[in-house]
Structure formats: C-alpha cells, structure tokens
Amino acid sequence: MLIIYVAKLAPMKQTEQLALDIKRLRNQGVNLVNAIQVEVYPEQMEAHFTNNLKKDFETFKKSLPIFSTTYQSWYSEAQIVIRRFLPLRLNDFMALYEVPKNRKELKKENYTIEDYLRNTIVTSGFDKKVVVGPVDVIPLVQQQLNILDSVTVRLESALTEISEILQADLLDKMLIAANELAKNGLARSAGGVCSAIIQQHFETLRAKYDLKLLKKNPTLKDYNELLQKAEVYDFGTGRQIQYLIDLRDLCVKNTKKAPSASEIQDLLVGTERIIKTIY
C-alpha cells in the first residue's frame, strides 16, 4: 500500500521513497495493460509472442495478474498519487473508470473500465454483433497509465528542486561556520571549510552538466579547468576562482605563511559569490 508521506523523513528521503512507489505502481499498470490485452485478444497475443517475440506465451501469461481482482487496488493507489501531484488530471483519470451518472446510452465514446468489470456489452442485430465491449477497455487502461507516467516526470523535477534546496541550505550553514572560525582567529580552519564548500558546489555543477573527470580524486584546479572548458562560466570567472584556490592553498598547505585578514575575507566573500551566482 502507498506510504503516506507525513512520516519523520527528510524531504529528500520522502521524495525518493515516493519515486520508488510510483515506479512500482507503473510496473503494476504495465502488467494490467498486458493482462487486459491477453484477456481480450488471447489468440492474437499468443501468436505475437510465439511467432514474433519467440517467447513462451504460457510463462508470460502466468506472470500476469488477473485484471478483475487486481485493478481496483491499483486504481485506488494511483488515484492518491495523481490527486497529490497532478490534481488537474484527476478528473480525467477517474472518468476513464467511472460510469457517468447522467449517461443515457452506452456508446464507444462513454464506455468505461467499470463497464468492463461489470461485463457490460452492447450488441446489435440478429447475429448479436458486439457494438461496445471488452476491446474498448484497452485504450482506457493505457490512458490511465499515461497519466500516471506524467506524475513521474513531475516528480523528477521536484526531486531535483528539493536536492538543490537542501544543497544550498547545507552550503549556507557551512559558510556561516567558516565566517565564525575566521572571526575567532582560526583562518586556516575557515579556509579548509571554504575549500569543502567550493568542491561540493563544483561536484554538483559537474553532475548537473553531465561532465566527466578522469581523476579519481580531482582537485579544485581540475574542477575549475573542466567547468571553464564546458563554458559553465567564462575565463575571467575562472581566473577569479583560481585566485580563491591559491588562497585556499595558503590556508591549508602553506605552513610557513599564514593568510592575512584581508586574504581570508577575500576567500569568504569569493566562496559565497561562487555558490550564489554560478549555477
């Protein structure tokens, strides 16, 4: 059953768990589409599997759920997800299932999944030719699955947004700590924190722009060269960042000369500029 996302989970964990649940729901939906196709077109599906796919149809058939006993629970869960994350499509999703209350005549245009579950069929003529019936349910279930897929796209965007918010909040807190260290005369420690901030931000940029680094443990210089080459920022910005890298080295690598107050201030201000202006 779908997790109710009010637990004491961090926002990122909630979203990641929801993504897993939606993936599970989608897989169930695909199985339901396959199940309904097998129920409605058993001979055609068997021929397709045997002749085209060269796979064992009976094994595939046994792996599928029974539509009539499985669909309702899937519909209820999917409805919760769509109501929460895609409310504008909720009525469309429900209309594909529910029999319209004001329906006077059953036609292809107003046939629903509920009609199929009730085994409702409309025939005409002496030969009882089916006018509306089981074959009309397949596109309805597929449309519901398509609506659920739209939630996945929206959730991926939300996951990225939450990740960026949490990352920005973390780096802001680290920057505050670096400023406190500098105020208390711990310039080298402040420089070390600034180094960690810049490296984490650069790694986020590398991942965002899908850039590759060959080194297993890249330096800030490696990141700076990579991001300049990819035109994430221009040469002038790269020169300014190199100056900050030199100040970082003065803080954490040079044991003979300590950074001056103005130099550590340049590093703090420059670090803030990087995380606030380079995306």
Side-chain angles (χ1 to χ4, degrees), residues 109-239:
E109 293 77 14
N110 57 24
Y111 184 81
T112 68
I113 298 169
E114 191 174 15
D115 287 315
Y116 175 82
L117 294 173
R118 293 176 177 178
N119 198 31
T120 303
I121 300 174
V122 175
T123 61
S124 68
F126 69 92
D127 57 351
K128 300 294 182 179
K129 181 180 179 181
V130 175
V131 178
V132 183
V135 297
D136 299 299
V137 78
I138 296 174
L140 304 182
V141 181
Q142 184 62 62
Q143 285 181 56
Q144 286 192 324
L145 183 58
N146 292 342
I147 293 173
L148 183 63
D149 281 343
S150 299
V151 176
T152 303
V153 175
R154 188 182 182 107
L155 188 65
E156 287 175 353
S157 176
L159 185 60
T160 300
E161 183 179 346
I162 290 172
S163 177
E164 290 175 350
I165 291 171
L166 294 177
Q167 169 86 345
D169 183 59
L170 174 62
L171 296 186
D172 283 344
K173 289 177 179 177
M174 291 175 68
L175 189 60
I176 291 171
N179 276 280
E180 287 298 316
L181 288 169
K183 287 178 182 178
N184 287 285
L186 301 171
R188 293 189 185 279
S189 297
V193 175
C194 285
S195 175
I197 293 171
I198 295 171
Q199 180 133 357
Q200 181 59 55
H201 188 62
F202 279 176
E203 174 57 25
T204 300
L205 291 171
R206 184 205 62 75
K208 177 180 179 179
Y209 292 102
D210 195 25
L211 305 175
K212 306 298 181 184
L213 271 171
L214 297 179
K215 290 186 178 180
K216 187 175 181 180
N217 298 303
T219 64
L220 290 182
K221 183 179 179 181
D222 294 325
Y223 278 110
N224 191 26
E225 291 174 352
L226 178 72
L227 295 170
Q228 279 187 80
K229 187 176 181 180
E231 299 183 346
V232 175
Y233 48 76
D234 58 26
F235 178 75
T237 301
R239 288 289 299 274

Side-chain angles (χ1 to χ4, degrees), residues 60-113:
F60 171 72
K61 184 177 178 181
K62 289 177 182 178
S63 71
L64 297 176
I66 298 174
F67 187 88
S68 60
T69 59
T70 308
Y71 173 81
Q72 293 285 9
S73 61
W74 178 85
Y75 173 75
S76 297
E77 273 195 271
Q79 192 177 354
I80 293 172
V81 171
I82 293 165
R83 178 180 286 108
R84 173 66 180 83
F85 293 98
L86 207 62
L88 293 179
R89 297 302 308 277
L90 180 61
N91 287 339
D92 295 336
F93 185 82
M94 295 172 62
L96 292 165
Y97 166 73
E98 296 178 353
V99 172
K101 293 180 179 179
N102 59 349
R103 187 176 68 184
K104 296 181 179 179
E105 179 185 0
L106 176 57
K107 301 180 292 185
K108 281 183 178 290
E109 293 77 14
N110 57 24
Y111 184 81
T112 68
I113 298 169

